[in-house]
Amino acid sequence: MPAAIYVFSLCAFAFGLSEFVVAGLLISIANDLDAQIAIVGTAIAAYALGAAIGAPLITALVSHWRDRQILLLATALLGLGSLLMSASPNVLVLLAIRFVVGLGHGVFMAVASDAATRLVDPCRSGRALSVVWIGLTLALAFGVPIGTYLGSLWSWRVVFLAIGVLSVVGMLGLALCLPRHEAEGDARRAGAWQGIRAITHPQLLITGGVGVLVSVATFTFFTFVSPYLQQITAVDVQWLSLGMLLFGVCSIAGNLLGGYLADALDVDRSIRWALLALALNLFCLYGFASMPAMMLLLIGMLGVCFFSIVTLLTLRLLKQAQRFIPGYSTVAAGLNIASFNLGTALGGALGSLTITYTTLALVPLVGALAAVLAVVVLHLQGRRINSPEASVS
């Protein structure tokens, strides 16, 4: 793999750590800023909202820029934002800064995902993509626990200073590894308006909708994994911690598996099998709720299923962009990132409604139904794309 792809992964780790480490620092931040934990907890949502907006819209607006410029600016925004977050005087300033950094996160992941697939032979594009995305899963699996520990030793502000230093290292890597002059196609120079129009292509929107459903299915359950294990499965906090560790480690495996399947098999077929596995996994989380050991295994497999689908759907969108909107593949990658962030938020809301109006025990079953719906949508889209009418158009 070209060195630039590993630098992309390092930067993705820094962005992922910036997004998720707040979960382990909530009490420390709340006490320091004299704010309610519920308000500080929205810091993750503010970041995710920025990523959901920045990934498709800002990526479309700057789609005629060079990859080098976009990636360096996005990483510089993370560095500056991390410094400002570490100096935040109150929670409102913190939330505002995190929203802006989230915008850069979405843009970086979109452009880096597309650039990675163009830096290697097509037969290795899936593995290149998985290397980029593994940075995010490493942040979730190991970065957050380490950041939480360091925050308890010193201060949450030190953690964000460290992220700022990491982003500077990433910028230096990008400056050294990315070429100063890129071969740009005519479509890439067409301008911002064409980039905005590219977002609205029906086939890309449908695939993005599948991504939304996948995140809804996963996070309808995973958002409430803590009360589910403690109240339904009736395990203690040590079992919960082990389950979270398994999810993180298996997420890395899922990322790599998705890249392998994308290169070794047909992407659409791999996605269908992965979606069926996700649905089955969620049905089993409902059916084996009273068996602690089985639940831990299933939570680990949930990480495998979800992150393999993330990699596969990203590659599918990039290939669709090459077919339907040549020159705007970065826009497609941005749409993919936005769909997963939107689905994460909607999954949490759907899980909350399920608990409010039915019972906590039904949460994984509702997620399974969303996964089944994703299978149906993908099947119908495949029939539409492969129809004679679609070929003519």
Side-chain angles (χ1 to χ4, degrees), residues 58-386:
I58 297 181
T59 301
L61 289 172
V62 300
S63 59
H64 56 296
W65 294 10
R66 297 184 185 278
D67 290 345
R68 178 187 173 90
Q69 292 176 294
I70 300 171
L71 294 170
L72 284 172
L73 284 173
T75 311
L77 179 61
L78 173 63
L80 177 61
S82 299
L83 178 64
L84 294 176
M85 279 188 275
S86 71
S88 297
N90 56 63
V91 71
L92 292 180
V93 172
L94 178 66
L95 292 178
I97 296 171
R98 285 185 62 78
F99 173 78
V100 174
V101 175
L103 294 173
H105 177 128
V107 173
F108 180 90
M109 291 305 300
V111 177
S113 296
D114 176 60
T117 62
R118 290 187 281 105
L119 287 171
V120 297
D121 293 333
C123 63
R124 303 179 68 199
S125 58
R127 276 166 285 185
L129 196 58
S130 70
V131 170
V132 176
W133 280 85
I134 205 172
L136 284 179
T137 54
L138 284 171
L140 186 61
F142 301 111
V144 171
I146 293 172
T148 302
Y149 175 70
L150 294 178
S152 68
L153 282 182
W154 298 308
S155 166
W156 66 272
R157 298 181 187 274
V158 173
V159 175
F160 282 104
L161 281 175
I163 295 173
V165 172
L166 193 59
S167 68
V168 172
V169 174
M171 284 184 64
L172 291 175
L174 291 172
L176 291 173
C177 295
L178 289 178
R180 292 184 176 276
H181 303 288
E182 304 168 28
E184 301 287 345
D186 293 336
R188 288 288 302 274
R189 293 194 294 266
W193 174 241
Q194 285 80 357
I196 293 292
R197 289 183 61 187
I199 299 176
T200 64
H201 192 283
Q203 298 304 331
L204 270 65
L205 289 177
I206 293 173
T207 300
V210 173
V212 171
L213 288 171
V214 168
S215 278
V216 167
T218 302
F219 287 94
T220 296
F221 170 76
F222 193 73
T223 301
F224 300 96
V225 64
S226 175
Y228 195 90
L229 287 179
Q230 292 180 303
Q231 297 178 28
I232 305 300
T233 310
V235 298
D236 57 24
V237 68
Q238 286 78 16
W239 281 80
L240 172 61
S241 299
L242 181 57
M244 298 297 285
L245 177 62
L246 282 173
F247 181 85
V249 172
C250 290
S251 296
I252 299 171
N255 205 314
L256 295 173
L257 176 63
Y260 170 78
L261 291 175
D263 292 339
L265 304 173
D266 176 71
V267 172
D268 282 12
R269 182 183 304 171
S270 298
I271 294 174
R272 282 195 293 270
W273 282 110
L275 286 174
L276 289 171
L278 176 63
L280 179 61
N281 183 274
L282 288 162
F283 277 121
C284 289
L285 283 167
Y286 172 75
F288 295 100
S290 62
M291 302 173 61
M294 180 63 75
M295 289 296 290
L296 290 186
L297 176 62
L298 290 170
I299 287 172
M301 290 306 300
L302 181 66
V304 173
C305 292
F306 176 69
F307 280 95
S308 64
I309 294 172
V310 168
T311 301
L312 289 165
L313 273 180
T314 302
L315 189 61
R316 185 175 197 263
L317 262 172
L318 291 174
K319 289 187 174 183
Q320 285 184 329
Q322 293 166 5
R323 174 179 176 183
F324 297 116
I325 50 169
Y328 287 101
S329 48
T330 53
V331 176
L335 183 62
N336 185 62
I337 293 163
S339 70
F340 283 115
N341 278 279
L342 177 60
T344 299
L346 291 177
L350 182 59
S352 180
L353 289 173
T354 302
I355 295 169
T356 301
Y357 292 103
T358 58
T359 174
L360 176 62
L362 291 179
V363 164
L365 188 59
V366 174
L369 295 177
V372 170
L373 181 58
V375 175
V376 173
V377 172
L378 187 70
H379 174 70
L380 293 176
Q381 183 191 26
R383 291 182 58 185
R384 173 68 180 88
I385 291 176
N386 295 323

